[in-house]
């Protein structure tokens, strides 16, 4: 997957929020292009000659460069006014399938309100300061922003949209996120960036945002999938792509595991224990279904709910182990359909015969070797 990142207009491509998110996304297998808006970073231009319209043109040209050299960007990401820019540019990048805004204003004209004390000089420019950076802005820049039909663009987006915003953002208020979200059509999602600021100053904030973006984008962006072998060899491969984030490949399937943010992960996927419960639940449901179909039972549906916890051995009357802690899995099975009591009893008995259940109940030998 290829993404195009538009930074905030008072920053450069190397602002921590942009560089950290791009780095985290790259670690998760998403190629990211970020570039400096004229007059910022190292493009050799003058910000006074920049307009919102010209920034949109730059994004479209950057997308064309990706199209010619790697692959067209399927994902557009914009931070602050860069978020407004990707919303405006999306319709002109037809291959883009999903858009992410981070701390973006709903109306680009919001920028003019950030400079109430700026006084223009004889040349029609003003010295302003925003987010710790001083620069000169032209009247033409503000007039251009005020003329943007942003709401119409959001309403007519026709692409998946993820709105990310910090509730305590002191530069672009949280109401802007609501306006964008309400104006957009489905599919759309909102993620609150609790505890951070407009610039996503903390490493953990950027890592969290990147993990959420990667997990969300894979739902909406078409990605080439490797051919599935007719027969599986039973090998599952796990590769580290983030601090705790893991990319798992099983046959022709690819998915992600992670740890929650509370322990330093990015919450980009289920935890290892979540996957263990999923394996048992899936096997349980499949085994029940196979038996019901084979016996012609009127089973309309089956669902399994599981929870893992550790208990003291002394609290388990039927366990061989009498000291320390034991792993306990609670499994609730729902059977839908006009089944009589004997059929229900038999299906619950069959649940205990699922292969994963049997594996967990018997001694398992794990052989570990180093692969070079």
């Amino acid at each position: 997957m290829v993404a195009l990142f538009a930074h905030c207009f008072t920053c450069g491509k190397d602002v921590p929020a942009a560089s950290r998110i791009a780095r985290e996304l790259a670690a998760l297998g998403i190629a990211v292009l970020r570039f400096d808006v004229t007059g910022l970073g190292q493009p050799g231009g003058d910000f006074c000659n920049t307009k919102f319209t010209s920034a949109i043109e730059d994004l479209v040209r950057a997308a064309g460069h990706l199209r010619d050299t790697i692959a067209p960007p399927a994902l557009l990401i914009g931070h602050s006014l860069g978020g407004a820019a990707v919303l405006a540019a999306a319709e002109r990048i037809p291959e883009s399938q999903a858009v992410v805004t981070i701390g973006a204003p709903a109306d680009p004209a919001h920028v003019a309100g950030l400079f109430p004390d700026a006084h223009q000089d004889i040349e029609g420019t003003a010295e302003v300061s925003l987010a710790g950076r001083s620069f000169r802005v032209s009247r033409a820049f503000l007039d251009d922003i005020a003329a943007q039909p942003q709401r119409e663009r959001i309403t007519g987006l026709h692409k998946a949209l993820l709105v990310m915003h910090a509730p305590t953002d002191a530069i672009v208020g949280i109401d802007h996120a609501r306006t964008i979200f309400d104006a957009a059509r489905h599919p759309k999602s909102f993620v609150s960036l609790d505890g951070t600021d407009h610039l996503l100053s903390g490493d953990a904030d950027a890592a969290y945002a990147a993990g959420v973006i990667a997990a969300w984008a894979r739902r909406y962006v078409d990605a080439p999938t490797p051919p599935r072998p007719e027969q599986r060899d039973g090998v599952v491969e796990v590769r580290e792509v983030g601090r705790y984030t893991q990319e798992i490949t099983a046959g022709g399937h690819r998915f992600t595991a992670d740890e929650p943010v509370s322990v330093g992960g990015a919450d980009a996927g289920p935890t290892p224990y979540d996957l263990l419960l999923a394996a048992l639940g899936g096997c349980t449901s499949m085994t029940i279904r196979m038996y019901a179909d084979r016996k012609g039972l009127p089973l309309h549906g089956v669902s399994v709910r599981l929870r893992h916890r550790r208990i003291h051995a002394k609290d388990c009357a039927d366990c061989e182990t009498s000291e320390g802690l034991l792993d306990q899995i609670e499994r609730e099975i729902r059977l839908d359909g006009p089944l009589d009591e004997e059929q229900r009893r038999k299906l619950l008995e069959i649940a205990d015969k699922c292969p994963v259940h049997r594996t967990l109940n018997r001694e398992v030998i794990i052989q570990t070797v180093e692969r070079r």
Side-chain angles (χ1 to χ4, degrees):
M1 186 189 309
V2 176
L4 180 59
F5 194 110
H7 59 72
C8 62
F9 279 23
T10 62
C11 314
K13 66 178 176 60
D14 295 321
V15 67
S19 59
R20 288 168 182 161
I21 291 176
R23 184 171 61 247
E24 293 286 343
L25 288 174
L28 294 171
I30 299 176
V32 182
L33 171 64
R34 51 193 169 92
F35 63 97
D36 284 318
V37 172
T38 303
L40 298 171
Q42 299 175 343
D46 184 354
F47 189 71
C48 281
N49 295 326
T50 299
K51 295 182 180 180
F52 188 78
T53 300
S54 66
I56 297 172
E57 295 294 336
D58 286 345
L59 281 170
V60 173
R61 282 192 289 268
H65 173 73
L66 285 173
R67 186 183 298 113
D68 295 339
T69 57
I70 303 175
L75 176 62
L76 305 179
I77 308 169
H79 175 221
S80 191
L81 198 55
V86 296
L87 287 170
E91 64 178 337
R92 298 179 55 187
I93 306 174
E95 300 93 343
S96 62
Q97 298 172 291
V99 177
V100 179
T101 65
I102 305 170
D107 183 354
H110 167 75
V111 172
L114 298 175
F115 313 135
D117 300 325
H119 300 287
Q120 294 184 24
D121 58 22
I122 194 170
E123 296 178 354
T125 66
E127 183 79 19
V128 297
S129 179
L130 183 62
R133 182 183 179 93
S134 296
F135 56 98
R136 301 194 70 79
V137 62
S138 68
R139 180 75 253 171
F141 176 82
L142 298 178
D143 291 343
D144 179 60
I145 278 183
Q148 299 298 320
Q150 196 72 354
R151 186 175 183 87
E152 291 82 352
R153 288 164 171 164
I154 297 170
T155 302
L157 186 61
H158 300 300
K159 301 177 190 289
L161 174 66
L162 171 61
V163 180
M164 309 183 81
H165 214 108
T168 54
D169 192 327
I171 295 178
V172 180
I174 187 66
D175 288 346
H176 285 269
R178 176 167 186 158
T179 300
I180 294 172
F181 187 84
D182 289 346
R185 299 177 180 179
H186 286 288
K188 57 183 178 180
S189 306
F190 172 77
V191 171
S192 176
L193 299 175
D194 296 321
T196 186
D197 55 19
H198 183 70
L199 294 178
L200 275 70
S201 302
D203 286 339
D205 299 328
Y208 171 71
V212 171
I213 292 170
W216 174 85
R218 289 192 177 99
R219 182 178 182 89
Y220 297 106
V221 174
D222 295 331
T225 55
R228 298 183 180 179
E230 294 184 2
Q231 293 185 344
R232 294 168 178 256
D233 57 10
V235 173
V236 174
E237 292 192 6
V238 181
R239 182 173 65 90
E240 182 183 70
V241 294
R243 183 181 182 189
Y244 294 130
T245 309
Q246 311 294 318
E247 182 182 75
I248 303 171
T249 303
H253 302 284
R254 187 169 297 174
F255 50 100
T256 303
D258 205 343
E259 291 289 354
V261 176
S262 60
V263 297
D267 198 25
T271 69
Y273 273 102
D274 290 338
L275 295 174
L276 177 65
L277 294 181
L280 175 60
C283 180
T284 299
S285 180
M286 294 174 190
T287 301
I288 291 174
R289 169 53 62 192
M290 290 177 184
Y291 180 86
D293 289 351
R294 188 165 64 248
K295 297 296 183 179
L297 302 182
L299 177 65
H300 293 170
V302 55
S303 60
V304 185
R305 184 176 181 180
L306 306 101
R307 186 175 70 167
H308 168 264
R309 62 176 181 168
R310 287 196 169 92
I311 63 171
H312 292 283
K314 63 182 180 181
D315 295 331
C316 180
D318 300 326
C319 298
E320 295 181 4
T321 303
S322 58
E323 297 181 357
L325 295 175
L326 296 174
D327 290 285
Q328 176 177 287
I329 295 177
E330 299 173 358
R331 178 174 58 182
E332 298 176 1
I333 301 173
R334 179 184 177 92
L335 303 172
D336 295 325
L339 300 159
D340 60 36
E341 289 304 315
E342 176 59 24
Q343 291 170 333
R344 291 178 180 275
R345 183 196 65 78
K346 186 61 178 179
L347 288 175
L348 291 179
E349 180 183 311
I350 289 297
D352 290 341
K353 299 183 183 300
C354 97
V356 172
H357 183 121
R358 290 181 171 180
T359 296
L360 292 174
N361 269 345
R362 61 175 175 246
E363 183 178 5
V364 178
I365 300 172
I366 300 176
Q367 297 178 331
T368 303
V369 298
E370 182 181 6
R371 186 177 67 177
R372 295 179 180 272

